[in-house]
Amino acid sequence: MKFAIIAAGEGSRLANEGVKTLKPLVCLNGEPMIDRLIRIFAANNASSVSIIVNREMHEVYEHISDTKYPVPLHIIQKSTPSSMHSFYELSPTLGNDRFCLTTVDTIFHEKEFSRYIDAFNQCNADGLLAVTDYIDDEKPLYVETNEQMTIRGFHDEDDHGFRYISGGIYCLGNNSIPVLKASVEAGMSRLRNYQRQLVKNGLKLQAWPFSQIIDVDHPEDICKAERFLKSTGS
């Protein structure tokens, strides 16, 4: 199974609030976020890890290139207008395999992640997407599910008391790639709109709940993520 990391953002919120370290290299309990993800992916039998890095983040590119990891890497250095376009740039490296995609600042419990990957390997859905009922996001994407945890829609507003929000981790089958290409060609942007298109196109998506997922967007999120990882032994 292949894995992919979007690390092409500018990290402007962290920088504007005084964090000088580039986001992928921000350490959580002594480990850079990018290294943490690659280590976890390797521990979950990754056949390769594809990474897209912002063209201006030379330090990140050099760090990845100079570090020895226990899994083959495909590194793309390119600036993109959105996370969906970053995914599009990564897609040729994913081939016809099933894969797991996440952003570099998505922090989760390692054991939960392993159970999630096992569940994806055993399910026959077109995608298994991480969700959580821990809501600590500035602009959460609410996930509408039925009792069987089949995803029925994605919403910017919580108009119907939705329990879950998107966790930013996406396990998908290769039939998701044509939808991605068509979405980019149609001028669409943002991963949340791509997810809506997957549902619109009739792909079967299942939700898999994590107890907690944290995005590192502000300096206080670094401390919060470190406390969370220490409490879970991750």
Side-chain angles (χ1 to χ4, degrees):
M1 181 175 165
K2 297 182 178 180
F3 290 76
I5 302 170
I6 296 174
E10 297 178 353
S12 56
R13 283 176 290 188
L14 281 176
N16 291 338
E17 295 175 37
V19 177
K20 302 305 181 184
T21 305
L22 296 173
K23 180 184 275 194
L25 301 182
V26 167
C27 287
L28 299 179
N29 299 324
E31 184 177 31
M33 290 196 292
I34 187 76
D35 290 357
R36 177 179 182 272
L37 282 178
I38 296 172
R39 173 180 60 78
I40 293 171
F41 294 166
N44 284 275
N45 302 313
S47 58
S48 66
V49 178
S50 299
I51 307 167
I52 183 166
V53 177
N54 190 298
R55 187 181 297 278
E56 304 304 317
M57 291 187 175
H58 303 295
E59 289 179 50
V60 177
Y61 181 82
E62 291 172 2
H63 172 85
I64 298 170
S65 300
D66 294 342
T67 303
K68 292 184 178 180
Y69 297 103
V71 61
L73 301 184
H74 301 286
I75 309 172
I76 298 171
Q77 192 174 22
K78 186 172 184 177
S79 300
T80 62
S82 75
S83 53
M84 194 185 80
H85 288 84
S86 293
F87 179 20
Y88 178 78
E89 296 296 334
L90 288 168
S91 61
T93 70
L94 302 176
N96 294 318
D97 203 355
R98 284 152 66 91
F99 60 89
C100 178
L101 169 77
T102 186
T103 53
V104 73
D105 63 338
T106 302
I107 310 303
F108 47 79
H109 189 317
E110 290 184 35
K111 291 183 179 178
E112 281 189 324
F113 183 79
S114 294
R115 292 195 292 270
Y116 166 64
I117 295 299
D118 288 343
F120 179 57
N121 287 329
Q122 295 172 25
C123 81
N124 58 4
D126 297 307
L128 187 65
L129 308 188
V131 299
T132 181
D133 58 7
Y134 174 80
I135 302 176
D136 185 32
D137 196 301
E138 294 173 348
K139 295 181 180 179
L141 178 63
Y142 295 93
V143 183
E144 178 184 353
T145 63
N146 63 14
E147 293 181 357
Q148 290 74 42
M149 294 299 285
T150 299
I151 295 175
R152 297 301 190 193
F154 298 92
H155 306 269
D156 293 324
E157 303 293 336
D158 185 15
D159 295 329
H160 295 85
F162 301 117
R163 178 176 179 181
Y164 297 110
I165 64 170
S166 173
I169 311 172
Y170 317 94
C171 278
L172 294 165
N174 56 18
N175 55 355
S176 66
I177 299 298
V179 180
L180 173 65
K181 293 179 178 178
S183 298
V184 170
E185 290 170 359
M188 195 179 296
S189 65
R190 305 190 72 189
L191 277 174
R192 60 180 57 197
N193 292 324
Y194 164 68
Q195 292 176 77
R196 292 184 176 110
Q197 196 63 35
L198 290 174
V199 173
K200 185 176 180 180
N201 281 33
L203 274 68
K204 182 181 179 182
L205 304 179
Q206 294 291 125
W208 201 94
F210 280 68
S211 60
Q212 188 171 339
I213 296 175
I214 297 173
D215 290 336
V216 177
D217 292 319
H218 302 282
E220 58 267 27
D221 295 331
I222 298 173
C223 297
K224 187 185 303 181
E226 289 184 323
R227 289 194 300 269
F228 167 64
L229 293 178
K230 286 179 179 177
S231 70
T232 61
S234 296

